[in-house]
Amino acid sequence: PLVEVTPAPSDRALGPALHSRVATTLASGGRVALLAPRRGYARSMWCGNCRKSLRCPVCEAGLFYDRGPGRVRCARCGYRAVPPRVCPSCGADEWMYLGVGSERLGEQVAAAFPRARVQRVDPDVVEGALPTGPADIYVTTWIGTKAVLRPNVSLVGVVDADVLIRRSGFRAAERAYQALVELSEWAGPAAAGGRLVIQTAEPRHHAVQAAVRADYSYFLRHELESRRELHYPPFSELIRIAARGPERGGAIDDAAAASRRAGARVIGPARVGDSLELLVKCRSAQTVAEELRAVAIRTPRGTRLHFDVDAREP
């Protein structure tokens, strides 16, 4: 398709360029798919008084807000609860809902294009198949990009590509590029009117530029250069170590020292919920594992060490 990169607006979901493309497509009888970065209503809740975000009490990650069922949830550990009436930090009762989820985007799009039939396609409304009935605008998350669920559209809009690029984990750029390629396939060829509009604050990022150029080698060249510099796979192997229990501090320090003796690079420890975690980068995980076996044997009773060799998402 034709690929157009436009600035991501700070005060609304659809910037002027994407709004104009949607209007033009609808006027010509075409259909539109808009990709929201997350399902739900808002990606975070912030106190209007102390400006602190609402965090998960289990793992301390930020909580999403789903207005339909009236609950907050954690994408990391699955925690769900009714949102507090007042801020746990300062007691104020003024909440701000930041970041657009598919539920909120659907409402905004319906208000902006009142004559269009808007349909959400996200995990909250999909039960293994596309909802029945025709629509002019599909508001979806990644579940809607699956080939079996894709409706025929001529315009695909990525509301916030920066959420993809800035995800945690060293594979964030790789997954962002894969997602943009899938969306290009969904929009279809330019000869049939296919167009992909990407809203982003990082138009020069190699994942975005590779999608614009339809050039996998461009992405590969820049991504491998970054991975080599930061010692990430395929230029190293990874081991993630998590310690839980009353003696977790001593156990994680022991594991870090053993990893360094084996010549590995150690990042951390970092607190994740009730555990301490390390990321170990090494030429051979087998060599480091031999040192870590002794650490595991002498770990005190009641404290647990978890080793994730060839860690997929540090």
Side-chain angles (χ1 to χ4, degrees), residues 167-247:
R167 281 179 174 173
S168 61
F170 70 91
R171 291 186 173 91
E174 179 182 355
R175 290 176 172 171
Y177 172 67
Q178 290 172 342
L180 293 175
V181 170
E182 290 179 1
L183 294 173
S184 296
E185 295 174 354
W186 188 5
R195 182 184 295 269
L196 172 64
V197 180
I198 304 172
Q199 293 190 154
T200 177
E202 300 187 46
R204 299 182 65 85
H205 191 280
H206 58 280
V208 175
Q209 283 298 311
V212 171
R213 302 166 186 233
D215 186 353
Y216 170 69
S217 63
Y218 178 90
F219 172 80
L220 188 64
R221 185 168 63 254
H222 286 78
E223 181 66 8
L224 287 177
E225 180 180 341
S226 175
R227 299 257 188 114
R228 181 184 292 107
E229 180 180 356
L230 298 174
H231 301 280
Y232 278 119
F235 304 101
S236 69
E237 294 185 312
L238 301 180
I239 303 174
R240 184 170 52 195
I241 307 172
R244 296 180 178 86
E247 302 296 329

Side-chain angles (χ1 to χ4, degrees), residues 6-190:
T6 67
S10 59
D11 57 344
R12 68 194 72 182
L14 305 186
L18 182 53
H19 188 282
S20 175
R21 296 301 184 195
V22 172
T24 301
T25 301
L26 294 176
S28 63
R31 297 196 292 182
V32 177
L34 297 175
L35 183 77
R38 293 284 191 274
R39 66 178 181 175
Y41 187 77
R43 297 204 304 271
S44 61
M45 289 178 62
W46 285 70
C47 175
N49 181 53
C50 68
R51 305 295 178 176
K52 292 184 177 180
S53 63
L54 190 62
R55 316 297 292 184
C56 175
V58 177
C59 69
E60 299 182 354
L63 291 173
F64 294 80
Y65 175 61
D66 296 329
R67 192 170 71 172
R71 67 184 180 186
V72 290
R73 59 181 174 83
C74 177
R76 176 186 290 173
C77 70
Y79 171 83
R80 285 177 169 81
V82 175
R85 187 181 63 82
V86 299
C87 174
S89 299
C90 69
D93 60 357
E94 181 182 354
W95 290 105
M96 299 185 298
Y97 303 95
L98 304 180
V100 176
S102 57
E103 182 182 0
R104 191 177 190 182
L105 179 61
E107 292 181 359
Q108 293 181 358
V109 169
F113 302 96
R115 296 184 180 180
R117 296 165 294 181
V118 179
Q119 187 176 95
R120 280 170 53 205
V121 185
D122 60 33
D124 295 327
V125 297
V126 172
E127 292 292 340
L130 189 68
T132 59
D136 302 308
I137 302 176
Y138 294 91
V139 175
T140 186
T141 58
W142 292 115
I143 191 173
T145 66
K146 297 179 182 296
V148 69
L149 296 177
R150 292 176 185 169
N152 292 323
V153 299
S154 55
L155 172 67
V156 175
V158 182
V159 172
D160 190 351
D162 301 328
V163 171
L164 304 175
I165 296 169
R166 297 170 183 169
R167 281 179 174 173
S168 61
F170 70 91
R171 291 186 173 91
E174 179 182 355
R175 290 176 172 171
Y177 172 67
Q178 290 172 342
L180 293 175
V181 170
E182 290 179 1
L183 294 173
S184 296
E185 295 174 354
W186 188 5

